[in-house]
Amino acid sequence: MVEVFKWIKWGRILVVIFVCITLNSCIDPFEIETENFENILVINATITNEVKNQEILLSRTFRFEDDGPLSEEGAIVKVIEDASVEYTFEESSPGIYRSVQEFAASSGKEYELSIQTSEGRSYVSDKVTLPQETSIERIYPQKITNNNGVEGLGIFVDTFDPTGNSQYYRYEFEETYRIITPLWYPFDLIVTSEGENSFEFGLVNRPENQKVCYASNVSNNIKIANTTIFEEDRITGLEVNFIPAEDIRVDNRYSILVRQYVQSREANGFYEILSSFSESESLFSQIQPGFITGNIISENNQDEKVLGYFDVSSVSEQRIFVNRDDFLIDLPRFALECDLIELVKDPFDELITFHQRIGAFIDSNEVRYFPDAPPEPGEPIEFPGILSYFVPRACGDCTALGVSTAPGFWVD
């Protein structure tokens, strides 16, 4: 939910900028300020049927002009099972609370969330139960053109509950992709010594782990679906993600883990309203969504607003891998701006001044050395005569865009 509110904030800012440009009426600077701000506790709490350290996120609403939400720190958080068993949570990092012991929600039992803030305010949720588990049938990729006419890769999900009891679904995903350094060169240029009148430069081996890297993202929107109007409790071809063909995520090899939550009708209603709010197209719409009421209240003040929902969901997940050439080989692909950068000595510069510029360029960590005519593979490498050629760091070192260690789940 924290990610959702960040998305809302930046979406609003972009809308304001767009309106100003379109109307050509923003002659004076326009400062966005929040009026009638309310400091409201925000709770993101989903307990699942997975045996793990469950996690609950607490934060505060933030003003339109602020950078983001503040974490709610120092709270006492508990999940109570059947009014008798308590699972306590500890704050693992600001605003993130993890259960001390691993546990899983079980069918036929009632669960209740209890929170006491560092200021002594108490909050409690309705009692909720675990819906039945329904497994994802399949996750699959397809080359598609989206509603904006952009070609790329769509990720789709099919699921089916023959009992007809699931009906309400929510989807999240984690995506990981491989990055190949486009202008790899096996040596880096360094300053080996510094004298009164000049620098001396040399080459050192560039780490091999800068050739191939991996980066990951998590979904930051709300994708829900329900089957209540269908004859069967079946979802077919629901798009959970779309990646344009020219996006770096599908430049080489891509993986996505899709998580399917079966949730209650009440939880579905909450997320449906939240989704509509976050996808509002106009800041100045005449229809305002108002406050989103969840199932958590303040025990100290019944009129206090609390934003969030305590949800108990059953989860199914599935991962797939996709090679770009299997689906998008005929489409334009991602390309970094990798123009060669040459530092040229000014005729009026002393040599030491020029060398200092090269040294500062190297120390900036924004570039990587790349001779204007690097040798072909297998060709002997000689120390270049011209030292001042570079490319942007990401073009010669993939750790500018990701990490060099492959995730444990990665399969080539």
Side-chain angles (χ1 to χ4, degrees):
M1 190 175 297
V2 172
E3 293 82 4
V4 171
F5 284 106
K6 286 182 180 178
W7 186 94
I8 294 171
K9 178 212 173 190
W10 287 112
R12 285 181 166 179
I13 291 175
L14 292 174
V15 168
V16 171
I17 294 173
F18 175 78
V19 170
C20 289
I21 294 173
T22 303
L23 298 180
N24 196 27
S25 60
C26 294
I27 298 174
D28 296 322
F30 177 63
E31 295 185 2
I32 303 168
E33 294 184 357
T34 302
E35 295 182 2
N36 303 320
F37 173 74
E38 293 184 83
N39 184 6
I40 299 173
L41 180 64
V42 180
I43 302 169
N44 183 2
T46 297
I47 303 301
T48 71
N49 60 336
E50 305 162 287
V51 178
K52 65 177 185 179
N53 295 104
Q54 307 287 339
E55 196 170 81
I56 292 171
L57 311 181
L58 303 182
S59 61
R60 289 278 171 179
T61 52
F62 56 94
R63 291 178 174 83
F64 194 88
E65 61 272 18
D66 292 342
D67 291 334
L70 294 175
S71 301
E72 180 69 18
E73 300 181 36
I76 300 172
V77 179
K78 299 178 183 178
V79 170
I80 305 166
E81 178 184 278
D82 279 349
S84 58
V85 180
E86 289 189 354
Y87 299 101
T88 57
F89 287 66
E90 290 184 343
E91 192 171 9
S92 58
S93 58
I96 301 177
Y97 297 81
R98 303 185 71 211
S99 61
V100 175
Q101 65 185 91
E102 294 183 342
F103 74 97
S106 303
S107 60
K109 296 183 178 182
E110 291 185 327
Y111 295 87
E112 181 181 31
L113 174 65
S114 170
I115 298 171
Q116 184 175 35
T117 68
S118 59
E119 296 179 344
R121 299 193 178 200
S122 298
Y123 303 85
V124 64
S125 74
D126 294 341
K127 292 182 173 62
V128 292
T129 57
L130 178 72
Q132 75 169 54
E133 180 180 357
T134 297
S135 297
I136 295 174
E137 280 195 327
R138 66 170 181 147
I139 305 295
Y140 54 96
Q142 284 185 352
K143 174 185 173 183
I144 63 169
T145 302
N146 70 7
N147 293 333
N148 296 321
V150 179
E151 292 184 294
L153 188 73
I155 306 297
F156 298 88
V157 60
D158 291 350
T159 195
F160 175 55
D161 175 13
T163 70
N165 293 325
S166 297
Q167 296 187 323
Y168 299 100
Y169 303 87
R170 176 164 54 91
Y171 293 91
E172 297 176 355
F173 63 81
E174 300 174 11
E175 56 183 355
T176 303
Y177 50 96
R178 184 165 60 194
I179 304 166
I180 307 296
T181 304
L183 294 179
W184 168 258
Y185 188 64
F187 297 102
D188 278 320
L189 185 67
I190 63 168
V191 177
T192 56
S193 67
E194 180 179 350
E196 292 185 5
N197 299 316
S198 68
F199 283 32
E200 290 185 5
F201 299 90
L203 295 180
V204 296
N205 291 324
R206 181 171 297 173
E208 287 284 329
N209 64 5
Q210 296 178 4
K211 272 187 178 181
V212 180
C213 293
Y214 304 83
S216 297
N217 301 314
V218 297
S219 52
N220 61 358
N221 61 354
I222 300 170
K223 176 69 70 172
I224 57 175
N226 77 77
T227 61
T228 55
I229 63 173
F230 302 141
E231 293 183 0
E232 291 185 304
D233 191 356
R234 182 187 297 275
I235 292 174
T236 303
L238 177 69
E239 183 182 323
V240 294
N241 197 19
F242 172 79
I243 312 102
E246 295 183 72
D247 193 296
I248 189 174
R249 291 173 290 171
V250 289
D251 185 55
N252 186 262
R253 183 164 170 82
Y254 172 85
S255 178
I256 185 169
L257 174 72
V258 176
R259 293 170 61 84
Q260 173 181 278
Y261 296 84
V262 178
Q263 58 188 12
S264 67
R265 179 175 59 85
E266 293 77 15
N268 182 80
F270 174 83
Y271 282 106
E272 188 172 37
I273 296 172
L274 186 60
S275 177
S276 299
F277 180 72
S278 65
E279 294 171 3
S280 176
E281 294 182 357
S282 174
L283 176 64
F284 308 109
S285 170
Q286 293 180 358
I287 301 175
Q288 298 295 330
F291 185 75
I292 307 170
T293 303
N295 64 349
I296 305 170
I297 62 170
S298 168
E299 292 188 295
N300 307 101
N301 179 4
Q302 297 297 314
D303 295 326
E304 180 183 352
K305 294 178 180 178
V306 183
L307 181 54
Y309 197 93
F310 176 54
D311 185 25
V312 177
S313 296
S314 61
V315 177
S316 170
E317 63 182 32
Q318 196 173 119
R319 177 181 295 280
I320 60 170
F321 290 83
V322 184
N323 289 320
R324 176 192 174 86
D325 290 350
D326 292 338
F327 293 89
L328 307 175
I329 192 170
D330 59 332
L331 295 180
R333 67 191 309 151
F334 173 79
L336 280 168
E337 295 291 334
C338 290
D339 294 337
L340 199 64
I341 303 168
E342 180 183 4
L343 295 186
V344 179
K345 181 180 179 298
D346 190 292
F348 301 101
D349 278 348
E350 295 184 2
L351 182 62
I352 183 64
T353 303
F354 179 52
H355 283 180
Q356 287 172 342
R357 286 174 53 205
I358 296 177
F361 212 52
I362 295 171
D363 291 341
S364 73
N365 199 34
E366 297 296 325
V367 295
R368 287 294 180 266
Y369 176 62
F370 192 80
D372 59 336
E376 296 294 328
E379 182 180 340
I381 298 174
E382 299 179 0
F383 191 89
I386 300 177
L387 305 179
S388 52
Y389 285 101
F390 300 87
V391 292
R393 178 188 165 194
C395 300
D397 173 8
C398 63
T399 61
L401 302 173
V403 297
S404 58
T405 303
F409 61 78
W410 192 265
V411 177
D412 288 319

